[in-house]
Amino acid sequence: MNAPLPRKKNLRGDAAWVVFQILENGKSSRDCLAKVQQRHSSKDSAWLQEMTMGTMRQLPQLQIWLRRLLDKPLKGNKKILEHLMMLGIYQLAFTRVSPHAAVAETVNAAPALGGDSLKGLVNAVLRNFQRQEMHTQVSDDPIVKSGMPKWLYQALSAQYGDDAQALLSQANAIAPLWLRINASKVSREAYSEKLTQAGIEHTFSDEHPQAIIVQSRTDVVSLPGYSDGLFAVQDGAAQLAAHYLGAQNGERILDCCAAPGGKTGHIIETTTDLQSIIALDSDGKRLTRVKENMQRLGHKATIIEGDAATPAAWWDGEPFDRILLDAPCSATGVIRRHPDIRWLRKKTDIDALVDLQASILDALWPLLKPGGTLLYATCSVLQSENSEQMRHFLTRNQNASLQPLSESDSPQTPGRQILPGEQQMDGFYYCRLLKSSN
Ligand SMILES: C[S@@+](CC[C@H](N)C(=O)[O-])C[C@H]1O[C@@H](n2cnc3c(N)ncnc32)[C@H](O)[C@@H]1O
């Protein structure tokens, strides 16, 4: 359903447009939120983020309330007004926005969305919500309470059993900000001192030698040394990739599916003299971010646009010592950072992703030297993309064996599954494969 960005700037109208774009047009919040945030102050941008992503987390309950309040669903270009009403209800039920402002400002936003004639309806819906004290009438259906789509709730419950509840609540938690201090420019201790001087509270993590965790909401660009490349923003789970890959000086490395280059930068920072590192991605636009990030951090990588599943189009025939495959995946491990993912992913996407991951793995394996290492990574918590994918790969390839990452890493359940919230990290999966030398 085509819905151009509303011509008239209005905070709640713009928020409704973002929600509409995600839910009706399958657009990612990363794109549409940034578009509207450009025309608001940084305070209002933070508000837009909070309201739209909060709506994503509470969507099943909001939809139940709206269905009760609205006799007939709105159609065509009026549909967006339903999203505005949901945002209004969200403010009344889940935020500290004053009820008077929530109702009045939401009603006033209707004309910006072409809903001048529906101001009365928006007003009636919100007033009825208040009058009937609907915020006290919450569903006790566990799926609604989880804020997840039914298919994902069922998949996680089937896989994790009793542990699913903890995982689901972590998926709705607010994630901390993780920094990776650029060891080639500054030590973690010296950077920590800069943060202390700026009055920014932070902690270290034992498992991550370059990491600093900032709990408070912070505008990254305003942190000390951003433009000088003193740090990169990277979750703790993602910071394990370079460590597990274990690149050594003199080696030839392929970082596959590399954009925006978070792990490429880290691999470079853990070595001093690589023979070469290629950052490959199929998305040219995202590759420009790799270039920018390399420039900011002061690193050098060969950037190639290409499809990982068809190396004949971009590979020069020189085998690699190590390959990192950060595979395209469901991103179900990072829902706490991107609450819209749960609504963008459909059940049918998972099988297609599993097939794509397998075809990329099969295409890359011949590019690895005998004795070389391939690190497979996803930000998924679904075993079909992770341990099952690896088990099938090991069965298909007799010259592949498991190089364990931890004691629990076994041929039956290969790899390390990190769950969201574990040591404050995102959900992630790693598995290290060794290619036999003969
Ligand atoms: C999880 S993100 C990578 C994050 C990145 N490794 C980092 O640490 O910053 C997955 C990437 O895979 C890329 N991708 C998806 N399908 C691909 C393919 N067939 N070939 C190459 N890249 C692909 C996407 O464009 C996306 O940038």
Side-chain angles (χ1 to χ4, degrees):
M1 218 177 297
N2 187 29
L5 182 66
R7 255 193 298 143
K8 210 167 148 227
K9 166 178 129 176
N10 175 293
L11 194 57
R12 283 162 174 86
D14 285 357
W17 181 79
V18 171
V19 172
F20 179 87
Q21 288 292 82
I22 296 168
L23 298 179
E24 303 294 332
N25 288 333
K27 300 273 192 238
S28 118
S29 66
R30 204 177 28 221
D31 302 331
C32 47
L33 198 52
K35 231 179 227 166
V36 297
Q37 281 175 325
Q38 274 171 13
R39 52 186 200 178
H40 292 276
S41 68
S42 64
K43 186 166 161 257
D44 285 349
S45 292
W47 190 93
L48 281 165
Q49 164 100 21
E50 218 175 301
M51 293 303 133
T52 54
M53 294 303 106
T55 300
M56 294 297 118
R57 291 191 188 94
Q58 301 292 350
L59 188 67
Q61 181 62 66
L62 294 170
Q63 285 174 328
I64 290 175
W65 283 330
L66 187 67
R67 274 200 299 273
R68 273 198 235 150
L69 290 161
L70 204 57
D71 293 340
K72 273 192 284 170
L74 299 179
K75 294 218 174 87
N77 60 6
K78 298 289 176 249
K79 187 86 187 160
I80 194 167
L81 274 299
E82 281 190 9
H83 298 82
L84 178 68
M85 288 186 251
M86 250 180 345
L87 269 160
I89 296 173
Y90 175 76
Q91 292 163 64
L92 291 171
F94 298 110
T95 73
R96 286 199 242 155
V97 175
S98 91
H100 173 76
V103 175
E105 295 302 322
T106 303
V107 171
N108 286 341
L113 300 170
D116 219 346
S117 60
L118 295 177
K119 277 172 84 173
L121 178 69
V122 176
N123 188 47
V125 162
L126 298 183
R127 293 244 179 263
N128 279 337
F129 181 84
Q130 286 182 298
R131 200 169 305 125
Q132 296 176 36
E133 297 194 347
M134 273 194 167
H135 67 282
T136 60
Q137 302 161 29
V138 289
S139 167
D140 54 13
D141 177 343
I143 302 180
V144 174
K145 280 167 124 173
S146 75
M148 293 288 167
K150 191 172 172 191
W151 74 269
L152 187 54
Y153 178 91
Q154 287 173 338
L156 294 175
S157 301
Q159 189 182 317
Y160 289 98
D162 289 346
D163 296 332
Q165 277 316 317
L167 195 158
L168 289 162
S169 81
Q170 276 299 328
N172 284 327
I174 305 288
L177 171 68
W178 283 76
L179 307 180
R180 187 191 78 234
I181 307 310
N182 183 354
S184 58
K185 295 205 173 194
V186 63
S187 71
R188 177 165 76 164
E189 287 61 35
Y191 189 76
S192 161
E193 193 50 46
K194 285 181 190 292
L195 287 181
T196 306
Q197 278 166 14
I200 296 165
E201 279 185 37
H202 57 282
T203 51
F204 290 163
S205 156
D206 292 341
E207 203 187 346
H208 304 83
Q210 285 172 256
I212 284 184
I213 307 169
V214 178
Q215 295 294 351
S216 56
R217 294 230 171 153
T218 314
D219 177 16
V220 175
V221 179
S222 67
L223 287 174
Y226 174 80
S227 49
D228 298 330
L230 299 194
F231 67 88
V233 173
Q234 188 177 44
D235 184 80
Q239 291 191 38
L240 295 174
H243 166 66
Y244 286 149
L245 185 68
Q248 303 293 316
N249 287 338
E251 287 187 340
R252 197 172 137 75
I253 310 291
L254 172 64
D255 180 3
C256 197
C257 303
K263 299 182 186 72
T264 318
H266 195 193
I267 295 166
I268 295 170
E269 285 159 29
T270 56
T271 51
T272 50
D273 192 18
L274 286 175
Q275 188 195 118
S276 61
I277 178 162
I278 291 177
L280 178 102
D281 204 281
S282 57
D283 186 331
K285 224 166 148 194
R286 281 170 65 83
L287 278 173
T288 56
R289 294 198 42 218
V290 179
K291 204 169 156 197
E292 284 161 15
N293 280 327
M294 293 302 111
Q295 266 164 6
R296 188 177 66 82
L297 296 169
H299 299 330
K300 283 205 176 72
T302 306
I303 295 171
I304 298 182
E305 182 175 344
D307 180 352
T310 55
W314 50 264
W315 185 44
D316 63 5
E318 276 279 308
F320 295 97
D321 295 285
R322 288 170 210 264
I323 296 176
L324 165 62
L325 169 56
D326 194 6
C329 71
S330 62
T332 40
V334 293
I335 287 180
R336 63 180 193 157
R337 286 195 193 279
H338 308 285
D340 54 323
I341 283 174
R342 70 191 84 190
W343 304 115
L344 295 172
R345 289 279 171 277
K346 305 292 173 217
K347 189 177 183 203
T348 46
D349 294 344
I350 305 302
D351 285 348
L353 282 164
V354 170
D355 289 348
L356 175 65
Q357 291 152 0
S359 71
I360 294 179
L361 277 161
D362 289 345
L364 294 182
W365 192 243
L367 277 55
L368 194 61
K369 277 185 191 166
T373 300
L374 185 145
L375 181 68
Y376 177 75
T378 72
C379 54
S380 166
V381 290
L382 299 175
Q383 62 194 12
S384 54
E385 299 179 87
N386 297 342
S387 55
E388 266 178 33
Q389 179 71 273
M390 288 294 98
R391 257 208 319 272
H392 291 145
F393 183 81
L394 287 162
T395 316
R396 283 200 302 280
N397 293 277
Q398 296 306 309
N399 63 351
S401 63
L402 202 59
Q403 220 183 11
L405 299 168
S406 65
E407 278 165 20
S408 61
D409 194 345
S410 71
Q412 288 74 41
T413 48
R416 176 180 178 190
Q417 178 69 67
I418 301 166
L419 297 181
E422 196 178 315
Q423 292 176 53
Q424 303 194 56
M425 293 187 279
D426 283 344
F428 235 84
Y429 175 80
Y430 287 109
C431 186
R432 193 162 55 189
L433 302 166
L434 182 69
K435 190 170 184 176
S436 62
S437 337
N438 43 41

